[in-house]
Amino acid sequence: EDEQIVAEIMGRRFFPDLIAYKAWEGFHFAGHEIRITEATDCYGAVVWPSALVLCYFLETNSKQCNLVDKNVIEIGAGTGLVSIVASLLGAFVTATDLPELLGNLQYNVLQNTKQKCKHQPCVKELSWGIDLEKNFPRSSCHFDYIMAADVVYHHPFLDELLLTFDHLCEDDTVILWAMKFRLKNENQFVERFQTLFDLEMISNFPSLNIALYKAMRKDRMKA
């Protein structure tokens, strides 16, 4: 079953027949052909398999996870594939990443959503753990979903990432997080994450070493 679903997920990716002046990679999701421009010299501007896993889930679970008119933020949006798919499925999306990635992110989002979506997505800078209340004040920013694909890997900002999840997540916010396990740091982050959030694995793909999680804030009913 794992191999069949993984084949279906990876089959959503396609490549151009002819090499154009600008390299791009194609994907089929939400009834659209999505063309993503990548930058191979930057981790944040490449489509990783975790993003495909999350996009596949959003498309194939659109009834249980209805995104129409929902307020969604993607952290570490990178090339924007997940944000684009969520937008095509009817969500109002805020795609976020580091300032040096916003140009490529904005280009991909605009090229693939203009006049195709109910709500035009927006692109915004978000450096994990920095100026969170200033840029995303709790009083006015409410997100139904937080989405993240492959944001946990060997980098020195795991504390800031956890702080960002904590700041953006309200009692009724659902986190959808696809993660590739590589080193012990990832397992340690999951353990720390579970001190703040109830975590449920909703899909697991051993052949990709990727798990898809759903999470909500702990003690939300008491709060």
Side-chain angles (χ1 to χ4, degrees), residues 167-181:
H167 178 82
L168 296 174
C169 187
E170 299 186 39
D171 292 337
D172 57 347
T173 303
V174 175
I175 298 172
L176 294 175
W177 166 29
M179 172 176 165
K180 182 178 179 66
F181 287 85

Side-chain angles (χ1 to χ4, degrees), residues 157-190:
F157 304 109
L158 294 178
D159 290 342
E160 291 80 0
L161 174 59
L162 186 59
L163 183 64
T164 301
F165 273 124
D166 185 39
H167 178 82
L168 296 174
C169 187
E170 299 186 39
D171 292 337
D172 57 347
T173 303
V174 175
I175 298 172
L176 294 175
W177 166 29
M179 172 176 165
K180 182 178 179 66
F181 287 85
R182 298 180 178 88
L183 302 168
K184 289 184 179 180
N185 283 3
E186 284 86 342
N187 292 311
Q188 292 171 355
F189 181 84
V190 171

Side-chain angles (χ1 to χ4, degrees), residues 99-113:
E100 59 266 27
L101 298 174
L102 295 188
N104 189 60
L105 175 58
Q106 178 72 66
Y107 175 81
N108 283 327
V109 168
L110 185 62
Q111 289 291 108
N112 290 285
T113 62

Side-chain angles (χ1 to χ4, degrees), residues 98-215:
L98 296 170
E100 59 266 27
L101 298 174
L102 295 188
N104 189 60
L105 175 58
Q106 178 72 66
Y107 175 81
N108 283 327
V109 168
L110 185 62
Q111 289 291 108
N112 290 285
T113 62
K114 189 176 181 180
Q115 298 181 335
K116 298 178 182 178
C117 297
K118 185 175 183 180
H119 307 288
Q120 186 60 38
C122 67
V123 172
K124 190 171 181 179
E125 176 185 342
L126 173 54
S127 298
W128 297 339
I130 298 176
D131 293 331
L132 294 175
E133 181 60 27
K134 176 183 176 181
N135 297 324
F136 299 90
R138 290 179 183 268
S139 59
S140 59
C141 289
H142 171 77
F143 298 106
D144 299 296
Y145 289 92
I146 300 170
M147 298 186 184
D150 227 356
V151 294
V152 179
Y153 51 91
H154 188 62
H155 62 70
F157 304 109
L158 294 178
D159 290 342
E160 291 80 0
L161 174 59
L162 186 59
L163 183 64
T164 301
F165 273 124
D166 185 39
H167 178 82
L168 296 174
C169 187
E170 299 186 39
D171 292 337
D172 57 347
T173 303
V174 175
I175 298 172
L176 294 175
W177 166 29
M179 172 176 165
K180 182 178 179 66
F181 287 85
R182 298 180 178 88
L183 302 168
K184 289 184 179 180
N185 283 3
E186 284 86 342
N187 292 311
Q188 292 171 355
F189 181 84
V190 171
E191 292 173 1
R192 295 177 56 206
F193 185 88
Q194 289 180 287
T195 64
L196 298 177
F197 303 99
D198 291 320
L199 189 64
E200 175 190 358
M201 182 186 293
I202 54 178
S203 296
N204 185 32
F205 303 99
S207 60
L208 295 174
N209 209 23
I210 292 174
L212 178 61
Y213 294 104
K214 174 183 176 181

